[in-house]
Amino acid sequence: MPKILKYILIGLITVFGLFMIGAIVLNIMIASAFGAFENNYSVSELKEEYKTNEKAIDDLILYFNKIKPKDKFVKIEFKDGKTIGRLLIQDKISNSVLFQHWDFSKNILITPDLKNKLGWDLEKVEILKEKLDKADCISIEDGEPIKIGFKRAGLGMYSFNIFQNKESDRTLYEDKCNFILVNRKLMLEYGGGAVGPQCFQNLK
């Protein structure tokens, strides 16, 4: 075989090999985004997780209600001990977004602007993270019911919604898709992402 044909063949095989590797990596990334490698919890598993961590979740809610500004809506998700996955601050009267950002250092929370909005210091942030860890959860969101983010599955999120008000209308949350009403206190939720499942996959 002439050398030039040999080199052309080697080049084609190399390009094809790289193309196949790229296709495999792309498929893995897409599967990951759809939650293929995440734990998809059943309703019974979520009930058991909540039962195991109920006291820690109640303690988390008490602390969050104590430190959050009364005139603002706050949603915070931790990515790890040093990184905030998402923070949303809204004015409760005007509903205007005062701050919204993803994936940033927790130290930003004590900059003058955010400290003025939240009134949190690093100690409060670290205690909040500790209480989330004890509850085996990753986020907390103001509202009625208050939403405790349990675990992500791809771009989706499993959450425990805890009713604080006895008079709240629970009938709004009985669709058996995104919401599973367990009792007067607890509602399970699965919120789908931009891609992947949009409802609970296992209702058992």
Side-chain angles (χ1 to χ4, degrees):
M1 180 185 294
K3 283 188 176 182
I4 188 168
L5 290 178
K6 183 179 179 180
Y7 292 145
I8 291 173
L9 182 60
I10 291 172
L12 290 173
I13 292 172
T14 302
V15 169
F16 179 75
L18 290 173
F19 174 79
M20 290 300 296
I21 291 171
I24 292 170
V25 170
L26 180 61
N27 284 331
I28 291 173
M29 290 173 66
I30 292 173
S32 178
F34 275 79
F37 307 114
E38 303 285 346
N39 190 3
N40 289 309
Y41 291 88
S42 67
V43 169
S44 58
E45 286 173 329
L46 289 172
K47 288 178 181 178
E48 189 60 33
E49 290 286 349
Y50 176 77
K51 183 179 179 181
T52 300
N53 297 297
E54 183 175 5
K55 289 184 178 178
I57 289 172
D58 288 344
D59 184 51
L60 164 67
I61 292 171
L62 284 173
Y63 182 73
F64 181 71
N65 284 334
K66 178 182 175 182
I67 66 170
K68 71 178 181 65
K70 302 303 179 187
D71 60 341
K72 296 180 180 69
F73 170 94
V74 179
K75 174 180 180 179
I76 185 168
E77 177 180 341
F78 286 85
K79 199 169 186 178
D80 53 46
K82 296 180 179 179
T83 308
I84 306 297
R86 183 188 179 190
L87 175 64
L88 171 66
I89 306 171
Q90 282 181 276
D91 185 277
K92 280 191 173 181
I93 297 175
S94 67
N95 278 333
S96 59
V97 175
L98 304 176
F99 182 88
Q100 184 169 213
H101 205 62
W102 290 262
D103 296 328
F104 61 94
S105 169
K106 68 179 182 181
N107 292 325
I108 293 178
L109 292 175
I110 61 170
T111 56
D113 182 49
L114 273 180
K115 195 169 184 180
N116 183 54
K117 290 182 173 70
L118 282 176
W120 293 356
D121 54 25
L122 275 183
E123 183 182 10
K124 288 180 179 178
V125 176
E126 288 168 358
I127 291 174
L128 180 61
K129 177 65 168 68
E130 287 173 7
K131 290 185 180 294
L132 277 165
D133 288 344
K134 285 180 181 178
D136 196 22
C137 293
I138 60 174
S139 72
I140 185 164
E141 179 178 339
D142 198 7
E144 172 57 22
I146 194 166
K147 183 187 293 187
I148 313 297
F150 172 55
K151 292 287 184 292
R152 285 201 169 275
L155 298 178
M157 172 83 86
Y158 291 98
S159 301
F160 302 120
N161 289 267
I162 314 300
F163 290 96
Q164 307 292 290
N165 189 340
K166 292 181 180 180
E167 306 304 319
S168 296
D169 186 0
R170 274 77 166 167
T171 62
L172 300 172
Y173 306 103
E174 296 184 289
D175 65 0
K176 304 295 183 182
C177 173
N178 299 115
F179 305 111
I180 305 292
L181 188 62
V182 177
N183 52 45
R184 295 287 295 174
K185 179 181 180 182
L186 173 66
M187 175 184 68
L188 306 176
E189 179 179 352
Y190 176 75
V195 294
Q198 298 300 307
C199 295
F200 276 98
Q201 297 299 289
N202 188 346
L203 294 176
K204 293 183 179 179

